[in-house]
């Protein structure tokens, strides 16, 4: 008799797109590789909808209007302990809703792609034999992710693996898989690639293509001035993704209608194809977008990173040689000019990116989870 498919619950949060994108990438891999039954749950939204809306609003406003305060709070709590008074409060939300979901769905394993860790306490209270894993979605390690009762961690790099171990997590529980992103960011067949070209212009010899992710986390600061200055550089083609910001796209369309080297896009589902058509990228440094850029082999230019995980992500990649940070428009334009005019600099950054690249992180996470479930290995405890 064939064994029942594993049932897996993935907990995420809708503070930005990154956590849900990571959850969906893992879900796709688990369903494809292990034929798993997978359910996604936005725990905060389901358990405390009004509080979820309020905290999302405060989170996004703090990003935009008081970034220094946000960064101060992030960094001062970076070393927090899960069982401290502050940690206990943060991890208490959603416990009742989670208990109801567990009773109804009876999963074999639970995955966090957001550090709202109500489950470890709940598991102890109920005496459950339920493995729990965390998938860290940044290149920085905040203390909210760390809990002594988490059975396995999947992290972006070996550096985070070592840091988590230094902060008390047994190293055998930590796997440096990379941050999970959609499989379409990795090499595909010629036919698949051709089907994803959409309206993307074909490369022109002697022209550098710069992808600008202008719609991430709202509007990239100063985007109109950035585009104005970049449009004056010779042999530079701009692909500008405005996301859901229709006003920004309309403004850019009005300014550059008929311009032979400027292409604007709204919300698209073919970012992998845009990245494959580009030579470098300007973006805000969320963990998912940075991982997508790394998977695509693109030198990364980060503009005005917000203090907190964004800035820490950017500083890490800059230290590794994979990214450059610009704090003014003039500095950003200068970085672009240097990359365009210096093939050796671009090659050095691409080499640094190659050293960071992890093949198919979502598949690696899915395969490891399934291996541990089948083998009942102590790496994922079941008692």
């Amino acid at each position: 008799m064939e064994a029942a498919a594993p049932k897996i619950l993935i907990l995420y949060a809708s503070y930005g797109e990154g956590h849900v994108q990571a959850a969906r990438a893992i879900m796709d891999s688990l369903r494809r590789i292990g034929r798993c039954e997978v359910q996604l749950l936005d725990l905060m939204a389901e358990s405390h909808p009004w509080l979820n809306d309020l905290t999302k609003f405060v989170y996004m406003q703090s990003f935009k209007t008081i970034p220094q305060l946000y960064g101060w709070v992030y960094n001062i709590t970076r070393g927090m302990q899960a069982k401290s008074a502050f940690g206990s409060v943060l991890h208490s939300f959603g416990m009742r809703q989670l208990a109801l979901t567990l009773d109804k769905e009876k999963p074999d394993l639970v995955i966090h792609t957001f550090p709202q860790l109500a489950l470890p306490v709940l598991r102890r209270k109920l005496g459950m034999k339920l493995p729990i894993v965390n998938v860290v979605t940044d290149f920085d390690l905040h203390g909210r992710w760390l809990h002594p009762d988490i059975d396995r961690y999947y992290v972006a790099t070996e550096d985070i693996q070592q840091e988590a171990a230094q902060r008390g997590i047994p190293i055998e529980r930590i796997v440096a898989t990379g941050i999970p992103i959609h499989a379409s960011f990795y090499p595909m067949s010629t036919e698949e690639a051709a089907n994803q070209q959409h309206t993307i212009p074909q490369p022109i010899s002697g022209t550098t293509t710069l992808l600008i992710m202008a719609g991430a986390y709202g509007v990239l600061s100063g985007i109109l001035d950035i585009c104005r200055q970049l449009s004056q550089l010779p042999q530079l083609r701009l692909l500008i993704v405005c996301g859901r910001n229709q006003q920004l796209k309309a403004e850019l369309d009005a300014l550059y209608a008929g311009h032979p080297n400027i292409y604007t896009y709204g919300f698209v589902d073919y970012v992998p194809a845009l990245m494959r058509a580009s030579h470098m990228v300007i973006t805000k440094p969320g963990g998912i977008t940075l991982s997508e850029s790394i998977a695509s082999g693109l030198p990364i230019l980060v503009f005005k990173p917000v203090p907190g995980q964004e800035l820490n992500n950017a500083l890490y990649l800059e230290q590794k040689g994979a990214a450059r940070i610009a704090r003014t428009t003039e500095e950003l334009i200068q970085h672009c000019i240097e990359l365009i005019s210096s093939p050796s600099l671009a090659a050095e950054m691409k080499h640094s990116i190659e050293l960071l690249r992890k093949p198919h992180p979502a598949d690696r996470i899915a395969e490891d989870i399934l291996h541990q479930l089948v083998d009942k290995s102590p790496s994922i405890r079941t008692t």
Side-chain angles (χ1 to χ4, degrees):
M1 184 175 177
E2 187 176 344
K7 296 184 69 175
I8 294 176
L9 175 64
I10 304 180
L11 305 178
Y12 71 95
S14 48
Y15 296 82
E17 286 290 317
H19 306 291
V20 68
Q21 287 183 35
R24 287 172 178 159
I26 297 167
M27 176 181 69
D28 291 345
S29 290
L30 284 167
R31 286 176 172 173
R32 177 169 44 82
I33 295 171
R35 300 180 183 276
C36 301
E37 294 183 31
V38 185
Q39 179 183 354
L40 301 183
L41 176 64
D42 185 342
L43 182 57
M44 193 67 171
E46 290 293 327
S47 55
H48 304 287
W50 67 269
L51 184 59
N52 181 67
D53 290 342
L54 175 62
T55 53
K56 279 173 63 177
F57 175 79
V58 171
Y59 172 76
M60 296 308 297
Q61 288 302 311
S62 66
F63 248 59
K64 296 175 184 177
T65 60
I66 47 173
Q68 297 299 328
L69 177 60
Y70 175 85
W72 179 81
V73 172
Y74 178 91
N75 288 317
I76 203 171
T77 61
R78 190 176 180 276
M80 62 170 275
Q81 299 292 314
K83 296 187 177 181
S84 65
F86 182 57
S88 296
V89 170
L90 284 178
H91 296 319
S92 65
F93 294 104
M95 201 169 294
R96 181 174 178 275
Q97 178 64 45
L98 184 55
L100 292 172
T101 301
L102 294 178
D103 182 62
K104 178 183 177 183
E105 301 297 335
K106 296 179 173 53
D108 297 299
L109 180 139
V110 176
I111 301 170
H112 294 106
T113 65
F114 182 79
Q116 185 180 346
L117 309 182
L119 184 52
V121 173
L122 185 62
R123 182 173 69 173
R124 283 179 177 267
K125 280 186 176 181
L126 301 179
M128 303 177 71
K129 298 178 180 180
L130 178 63
I132 312 170
V133 305
N134 280 3
V135 179
V136 180
T137 54
D138 280 303
F139 291 88
D140 186 56
L141 184 62
H142 194 278
R144 283 192 67 177
W145 286 103
L146 303 178
H147 194 292
D149 293 338
I150 298 297
D151 302 305
R152 205 153 180 84
Y153 292 83
Y154 300 101
V155 299
T157 67
E158 286 76 11
D159 291 324
I160 294 183
Q161 181 185 44
Q162 291 300 317
E163 182 181 351
Q166 291 166 8
R167 293 166 71 173
I169 304 300
I171 197 163
E172 64 272 13
R173 292 194 209 168
I174 315 163
V175 188
T177 55
I179 297 172
I181 58 176
H182 197 273
S184 56
F185 284 94
Y186 292 91
M188 57 181 64
S189 70
T190 303
E191 181 180 353
E192 288 174 317
N195 289 337
Q196 290 197 10
Q197 285 309 301
H198 303 277
T199 57
I200 300 170
Q202 295 303 305
I204 301 173
S205 178
T207 299
T208 299
T209 300
L210 169 61
L211 176 63
I212 304 178
M213 302 298 290
Y217 300 96
V219 180
L220 194 70
S221 175
I223 182 63
L224 295 178
D225 188 39
I226 291 169
C227 291
R228 180 184 62 79
Q229 296 196 44
L230 289 174
S231 68
Q232 298 171 13
L233 297 180
Q235 298 179 313
L236 179 65
R237 182 171 59 175
L238 304 181
L239 309 181
I240 308 168
V241 179
C242 303
R244 292 184 172 88
N245 194 309
Q246 296 177 359
Q247 180 182 346
L248 174 61
K249 186 176 187 307
E251 289 183 27
L252 290 170
D253 286 343
L255 287 169
Y256 300 109
H259 194 293
N261 288 323
I262 297 181
Y263 301 81
T264 63
Y265 304 87
F267 179 79
V268 298
D269 60 1
Y270 48 91
V271 171
L274 288 168
M275 287 193 170
R276 279 191 288 274
S278 303
H279 297 98
M280 54 187 179
V281 61
I282 296 175
T283 184
K284 301 283 267 182
I288 296 295
T289 303
L290 292 175
S291 297
E292 292 168 349
S293 302
I294 289 169
S296 304
L298 294 180
I300 301 163
L301 300 176
V302 174
F303 187 54
K304 292 185 179 180
V306 174
Q309 73 269 25
E310 271 202 6
L311 177 58
N312 292 0
N313 284 342
L315 289 171
Y316 177 80
L317 293 188
E318 184 179 58
Q319 182 244 330
K320 291 295 183 179
R324 285 192 161 194
I325 299 173
R327 293 174 175 83
T328 65
T329 300
E330 292 70 29
E331 191 176 8
L332 180 65
I333 302 302
Q334 186 58 39
H335 285 329
C336 289
I337 292 171
E338 289 173 0
L339 275 169
I340 294 167
S341 60
S342 176
S344 62
L345 174 60
E348 287 174 13
M349 292 185 72
K350 284 178 174 288
H351 177 68
S352 298
I353 288 165
E354 189 61 36
L355 295 177
L356 288 169
R357 184 183 292 176
K358 303 286 187 186
H360 298 280
D363 283 1
R364 292 185 63 194
I365 291 168
E367 289 166 356
D368 188 70
I369 285 173
L370 292 166
H371 174 74
Q372 304 299 332
L373 282 175
V374 169
D375 286 1
K376 303 291 186 185
S377 166
S379 296
I380 291 184
R381 299 170 295 169
T382 57
T383 60

